[in-house]
Amino acid sequence: MAFTEEQLRAIKSRGEDLLVSAAAGSGKTTVLVERIIRRILDDKSPVDIDRILVMTFTKAAAEQMKEKIIKAIDEKRAHDPLNRHLIRQSALVHNAKISTIHGFCLDVIRNHFQEIGVDPDFRVADEAEAKLLKKDVLEKVIEEAYEKSDDSFINMVECLAGGKNDNVLEDMLDRLYDFSMSSPEPEEWLRRCEEIYKSPENDTAWLKLIM
């Protein structure tokens, strides 16, 4: 494809951090593949494909990226079939680190389990199993809070829970947990939320909004 001036800058840029921001369908994946191919085939300092780490957000994107890189290498080999470097890349590309962020992290843990004290037989829970585990933990946390009978907890239950069970409370805590985990520092985010309600003169941000 014919690249724009901005795309060529992203492809050719070296030795610096680079952020590419563009709309969906604008060719970001194609630009990244071209950038990788040019690094592999650089005349002065070529890089083996298995020395490059590529992480995406979805498995589909990772698979698409790998397919495009394999296709690009094959096309280059078609024009230069005896090129030893290209032959080497064709062999290495199947072990290249092109995966989702979660996939890369999982690979690191599996290869270094002994250093972090993890059972090598560990596995990743599926979504349904993870939900059940989280629900069990949430129920246990609430049960332990009832046993302690802390005044602030009992007051929260009286304000928020309704009916004969704690379903509303559990749902709210579950949503609060999920929302906080979208922050890079969930505990700090929760602390800041609490601070909004604190003020010696009761002049809180929420009170101002209500007034």
Side-chain angles (χ1 to χ4, degrees):
M1 65 176 287
F3 295 104
T4 65
E5 183 179 344
E6 290 79 7
Q7 287 174 327
L8 284 173
R9 285 174 57 196
I11 292 169
K12 296 178 179 179
S13 174
R14 298 288 184 272
E16 59 184 351
D17 293 333
L18 179 67
L19 171 65
V20 176
S21 178
S26 59
K28 293 189 296 296
T29 301
T30 302
V31 166
L32 184 53
V33 169
E34 183 66 20
R35 178 179 170 85
I36 292 170
I37 292 298
R38 294 197 185 193
R39 289 294 288 121
I40 295 172
L41 302 178
D42 190 285
D43 292 332
K44 296 181 180 179
S45 56
V47 178
D48 285 335
I49 185 62
D50 66 342
R51 299 292 296 173
I52 298 175
L53 171 61
V54 182
M55 290 190 286
T56 66
F57 286 105
T58 66
K59 288 183 179 180
E63 291 170 359
Q64 181 187 36
M65 182 81 69
K66 198 163 193 175
E67 288 174 3
K68 287 189 175 184
I69 292 173
I70 291 173
K71 182 179 178 181
I73 292 174
D74 289 342
E75 289 175 352
K76 297 291 185 181
R77 281 192 64 188
H79 292 90
D80 191 4
L82 299 180
N83 187 308
R84 294 174 63 87
H85 182 66
L86 285 174
I87 294 172
R88 176 177 169 81
Q89 301 317 305
S90 293
L92 293 176
V93 70
H94 299 288
N95 293 321
K97 300 297 182 183
I98 304 172
S99 68
T100 62
I101 299 171
H102 288 76
F104 171 73
C105 293
L106 184 61
D107 188 53
V108 170
I109 293 172
R110 279 180 172 152
N111 285 300
H112 300 277
F113 65 88
Q114 72 281 2
E115 296 175 39
I116 56 177
V118 174
D119 189 324
D121 291 331
F122 79 92
R123 64 182 180 84
V124 178
D126 59 45
E127 188 175 351
E129 185 179 21
K131 284 184 177 180
L132 288 173
L133 288 170
K134 187 164 70 168
K135 182 174 176 59
D136 288 344
V137 171
L138 182 55
E139 290 175 351
K140 184 177 181 181
V141 168
I142 292 176
E143 183 180 343
E144 290 177 353
Y146 272 122
E147 291 175 357
K148 292 179 181 178
S149 295
D150 181 76
D151 289 341
S152 59
F153 173 76
I154 298 300
N155 184 51
M156 180 187 70
V157 172
E158 290 178 350
C159 292
L160 300 176
K164 299 180 180 180
N165 54 52
D166 294 319
N167 290 345
V168 175
L169 178 61
E170 289 179 7
D171 181 61
M172 187 197 68
L173 292 175
D174 188 38
R175 287 186 288 116
L176 182 62
Y177 170 80
D178 286 340
F179 200 89
S180 67
M181 292 305 290
S182 67
S183 168
E185 297 180 344
E187 292 185 6
E188 175 62 22
W189 181 85
L190 288 167
R191 188 195 64 76
R192 290 200 304 270
C193 289
E194 185 181 12
E195 290 298 322
I196 293 175
Y197 293 93
K198 293 181 179 179
S199 174
E201 299 85 19
N202 289 324
D203 190 22
T204 66
W206 286 116
L207 185 58
K208 288 180 179 178
L209 179 63
I210 292 169
M211 295 297 290

